[in-house]
Amino acid sequence: MRRLRLLLLPFSILYGAIVFVRNWMFDNGWLKSTSYDVPVICVGNLSVGGTGKSPMIEYLIRLTKANYNVATLSRGYKRKTSGFLVANAETTAADIGDEPLQFYSKFGDEIIVSVEAQRTVGIEKLQLLSNKPDIILLDDAFQHRKVTAGFNIVLTPYNDLYVNDFMLPAGNLREPKSGAKRANVIVVTKCPTIVAKSEMLQITDQLKPNAQQHVFFTTIAYSETVQNETAQLPLFSLKDEPFVLVTGIANPKPLLEYVNDLGLLYTHLKYPDHHDFSESELNTITQKAGNQKIVTTEKDFMRLQGRLDNLYYLPIEVAFLADEDVFQEQVMQFIDVSI
């Protein structure tokens, strides 16, 4: 498959040139980009999907919500609505998308969860709310150059660094590697739980950060339980109980490696990222499961809850391997200076 994609390199060169010119026009003021008085933190990437943006947004929410009124602003990918919406207790994944619903399900009215495809419009609408936010977290908006975020966090997976990739369609990059220079920090995500200092230095050299950029390393911290709206079970209780594992995410490999390392017995049903499950697919999952439990990711649970019986999800969080205090200090210093 990779060799076939390499045949598309001429198209990648053309696409890369177009994006490079677009970025140059924003950088030099030929295209308008708006800055805001409210602190805006953008979490994004250079590649398509699967870098861990949602767990990083949740990390930032936990870091800031005690002291500030926090809003998240997402596009609301694959939602069946349009325009600006703020989540409430009646909101569904069809209304705002699975990832924003995940934020609301986890934090509720402690934060403002909003969606709007045009981020400039979304920020303006948020500032008109009676409980307008002190901070806005932009989810997956690094390429949305019409907004000048005050602090940019670029994510890149440990096993798929952007420096080793090509532009679309031959590779998975949405913009040239040089775009990473706009970031304040670069975070290498989905690392093994132990990475030697020497390897961190080697990866940092590969990424070639500028003098102002710090490179951080994180891993996925999986919960010790699976849960749903009413129940919570120790993950280890599935040790001798086969289950069906359903994934509709860009890169299920780290999850599969984790459950394999635990020695769990499962049947994996893989679907595309943000998949909209049909009734026939739900019937297939139900038939495969029989009396077995069905385990899925937290994001997929947002789309599957109430549609499958015996359904559980496995929560995850970001865990820093080093220098977490430095990361937190940089974020909080940006906020404090900006407010």
Side-chain angles (χ1 to χ4, degrees), residues 196-208:
K197 186 68 174 179
S198 58
E199 187 179 1
M200 290 184 185
L201 293 173
Q202 182 182 21
I203 292 173
T204 300
D205 288 342
Q206 283 183 264
L207 296 174
K208 295 181 173 60

Side-chain angles (χ1 to χ4, degrees), residues 3-212:
R3 288 182 179 179
L4 289 174
R5 293 188 74 178
L6 289 178
L7 295 175
L8 300 172
L9 267 177
F11 300 99
S12 295
I13 294 171
L14 176 61
Y15 175 61
I18 293 170
V19 177
F20 180 85
V21 170
R22 175 181 178 269
N23 280 339
W24 182 88
M25 293 180 75
F26 273 111
D27 293 339
N28 290 275
W30 289 88
L31 293 176
K32 182 182 177 182
S33 185
T34 305
S35 300
Y36 297 89
D37 293 334
V38 61
V40 176
I41 300 175
C42 173
V43 176
N45 51 23
L46 299 189
S47 59
V48 289
T51 59
K53 293 183 294 295
S54 295
M56 178 55 71
I57 290 285
E58 292 179 2
Y59 179 92
L60 293 170
I61 293 170
R62 292 188 186 94
L63 176 64
T64 57
K65 69 183 178 68
N67 297 315
Y68 302 101
N69 186 24
V70 180
T72 64
L73 177 59
S74 309
R75 171 187 172 190
Y77 185 64
K78 284 197 173 183
R79 63 181 172 130
K80 301 187 185 303
T81 60
S82 61
F84 178 76
L85 289 176
V86 173
N88 58 49
E90 307 301 319
T91 302
T92 67
D95 297 325
I96 61 171
D98 49 18
E99 289 164 337
L101 183 61
Q102 179 178 319
F103 302 151
Y104 186 79
S105 298
K106 189 165 289 184
F107 300 103
D109 293 326
E110 291 182 88
I111 64 170
I112 303 164
V113 176
S114 65
V115 293
E116 168 58 67
Q118 298 183 60
R119 302 317 201 283
T120 51
V121 173
I123 293 173
E124 290 163 6
K125 296 275 191 181
L126 283 169
Q127 291 183 297
L128 293 175
L129 296 177
S130 59
N131 61 332
K132 67 180 183 178
D134 301 316
I135 309 164
I136 298 174
L137 305 178
L138 289 185
D139 179 22
D140 194 16
F142 191 63
Q143 284 77 35
H144 199 92
R145 297 296 307 275
K146 291 183 179 180
V147 171
T148 301
F151 196 87
N152 284 290
I153 301 171
V154 162
L155 311 182
T156 185
Y158 171 85
N159 286 323
D160 192 18
L161 300 174
Y162 61 77
V163 290
N164 299 325
D165 207 347
F166 299 99
M167 289 291 297
L168 289 165
N172 292 316
L173 294 184
R174 298 192 281 192
E175 66 171 297
K177 301 164 191 176
S178 59
K181 299 301 180 184
R182 301 197 309 275
N184 296 83
V185 300
I186 300 169
V187 181
V188 181
T189 62
K190 303 184 179 182
C191 296
T193 53
I194 299 176
V195 178
K197 186 68 174 179
S198 58
E199 187 179 1
M200 290 184 185
L201 293 173
Q202 182 182 21
I203 292 173
T204 300
D205 288 342
Q206 283 183 264
L207 296 174
K208 295 181 173 60
N210 61 40
Q212 289 74 41

Side-chain angles (χ1 to χ4, degrees), residues 226-233 301 305 310-313:
V226 292
Q227 59 193 66
N228 56 30
E229 305 99 317
T230 59
Q232 190 175 71
L233 300 172
F301 186 81
Q305 60 183 323
N310 217 5
L311 178 69
Y312 295 81
Y313 68 88

